[in-house]
Amino acid sequence: MVGDAATPMEAIREAIEARGPITFAEFMELALYGRGSFYATPPIGPRGDFVTSPHVHPVFGELVAAALRELRDGLGRPTPFRITEMGAGDGTLARSLLAAAADLPIAYTAIERSPGARTALSTIEGIEVRAELVPPVDVVLGNELLDNLPFRVLRGEREVRIGLRGEQLIEVLGPPEPGLLASPDADHERIAPVGAIALIDTLGRTLERGYALLIDYGGLGTTGGPLHGYRDQTIVQDVLADPGATDITAGVDFELIASYAGSLGLVAFPSVTQRDALLVLGLDGWMHGQLDGQHRSMEAGRGIEAVRTWSGRSRASLLIDPGGLGRLRWMLLATPGLAPPPWLARASARSADRVARS
């Protein structure tokens, strides 16, 4: 049985031998989430295969906490304020959020499929660790989650499946499954985000009255680029070469996800870039404060302290780099009757003003 395989490659081989070429989504499931897979232990962080915004600087968590405060206000300030982070990884975001919102009555739940990640998360005081999303919940948070959920791949009028040639994994083109929702952006290759769609289904069933804030790479009417992998902080082109050793990802078509969420009765507010979101949440003021502190340290002869402040401010600026983390998009979903928070209105206005001036 596939469940008894010791490595992702063994599991993939057994699945193909049992049923013939498998979908790209099943290949991803086994490579990323099966036994001995890429996410069996948290691969993120400065010493990992890639970093996310919470690892760049703690101010990210502080500003997300500010966004969550406004969501709590919109919900009538529930006590406790029930936050569930999906794909919580090594807990870096959980730690910084709880520290930044220590004055709030938060009931924090961290969701991870990986047993290794759940073990790491269980060491964090003040959170509950689960393998799946269950109600009740006021806000669901997902940072760089959607892009790693299994997806299927369409090429022209055919679907890409994964087969075997000897010991080598190969692409096999066949007829697509009818009804797949896919981004129309690519001339050659399209992504059908079946895992992300399944997550939206789960949110539709779980959220009775609340929000979901989903932050990820992608675009509007486009995934923003081809599928690829990450390993050792480097992009990997051949994601079939060493399953289980490489992350597999593709950007998110936020228009497609928003449309599907709307079909379930959820409200999808217009998404904004991370750059716009963080600036209206206070990053600009924080950066100016850090610069003033750096100047004061220099004037007082505390050179090492000034250098540390400069270094931290430089790292934080990466969060809004329009060519990097700044191009992440923040999408807010809500149950009917809830208003968008003030920070989202300000970020949308900032984006519209930039477009008008361009």
Side-chain angles (χ1 to χ4, degrees):
M1 296 177 61
V2 170
D4 296 329
T7 67
M9 186 62 195
E10 288 180 15
I12 293 165
R13 182 187 299 110
E14 290 177 13
I16 295 171
E17 290 174 347
R19 303 189 305 278
I22 60 176
T23 67
F24 197 87
E26 184 174 355
F27 163 73
M28 283 184 69
E29 178 71 28
L30 296 171
L32 297 184
Y33 302 107
R35 185 177 178 185
S37 63
F38 184 76
Y39 283 106
T41 56
I44 59 178
R47 296 182 178 84
D49 290 281
F50 59 92
V51 296
T52 61
S53 297
H55 299 93
V56 172
H57 197 284
V59 73
F60 178 80
E62 296 173 20
L63 297 175
V64 173
L68 296 179
R69 286 177 187 273
E70 292 190 13
L71 296 184
R72 180 174 180 256
D73 290 343
L75 291 167
R77 300 187 177 183
T79 301
F81 181 31
R82 299 164 299 191
I83 300 173
T84 295
E85 182 189 355
M86 301 192 68
D90 64 351
T92 297
L93 180 56
R95 288 186 180 92
S96 60
L97 278 175
L98 289 172
D103 59 309
L104 296 182
I106 291 176
Y108 200 99
T109 301
I111 306 294
E112 262 295 346
R113 295 182 56 184
S114 160
R118 291 199 299 272
T119 297
L121 289 165
S122 67
T123 65
I124 303 174
E125 184 177 355
I127 71 172
E128 180 180 4
V129 181
R130 290 182 174 271
E132 58 185 22
L133 178 65
V134 295
V137 59
D138 297 312
V139 174
V140 174
L141 176 63
N143 181 58
E144 295 196 39
L145 170 66
L146 297 180
D147 65 324
N148 284 127
L149 297 178
F151 50 80
R152 296 171 77 155
V153 180
L154 303 173
R155 189 168 296 154
E157 300 300 317
R158 313 287 277 176
E159 180 174 358
V160 176
R161 295 176 181 263
I162 305 303
L164 275 171
R165 180 183 294 145
E167 295 297 309
Q168 183 180 7
L169 295 176
I170 60 170
E171 293 183 348
V172 178
L173 297 181
E177 179 179 306
L180 287 176
L181 295 176
S183 175
D185 64 317
D187 295 331
H188 183 57
E189 194 167 83
R190 295 181 293 141
I191 299 298
V194 291
I197 293 296
L199 174 63
I200 303 303
D201 282 332
T202 299
L203 293 176
R205 294 191 303 269
T206 303
L207 281 175
E208 296 178 0
R209 183 173 183 270
Y211 295 96
L213 176 58
L214 305 174
I215 304 170
D216 231 309
Y217 287 104
L220 303 175
T222 174
T223 59
L227 73 92
H228 55 280
Y230 273 103
R231 183 171 59 229
D232 298 329
Q233 313 280 336
T234 303
I235 291 178
V236 174
Q237 300 295 341
D238 185 1
V239 298
L240 302 184
D242 193 4
T246 302
D247 187 24
I248 305 169
T249 181
V252 178
D253 181 347
F254 284 93
E255 279 190 353
L256 186 152
I257 298 300
S259 175
Y260 185 75
S263 74
L264 301 181
L266 295 171
V267 178
F269 300 113
S271 65
V272 296
T273 66
Q274 175 157 295
R275 179 180 176 84
D276 287 332
L278 293 184
L279 286 173
V280 301
L281 284 166
L283 182 60
D284 195 39
W286 181 90
M287 297 277 277
H288 280 100
Q290 294 293 298
L291 182 60
D292 289 343
Q294 179 185 334
H295 290 161
R296 288 194 298 271
S297 295
M298 290 294 293
E299 291 168 358
R302 299 191 298 270
I304 294 177
E305 181 180 301
V307 169
R308 287 174 179 164
T309 303
W310 171 83
S311 178
R313 188 164 53 86
S314 296
R315 291 197 310 274
S317 70
L318 296 175
L319 295 169
I320 56 171
D321 178 0
L325 292 170
R327 64 187 174 89
L328 286 159
R329 297 199 73 84
W330 289 32
M331 180 173 72
L332 185 67
L333 305 178
T335 53
L338 293 177
W343 65 260
L344 183 57
R346 296 195 304 272
S348 296
R350 190 180 189 283
S351 175
D353 182 63
R354 185 179 62 254
V355 171
R357 288 186 283 105
S358 63

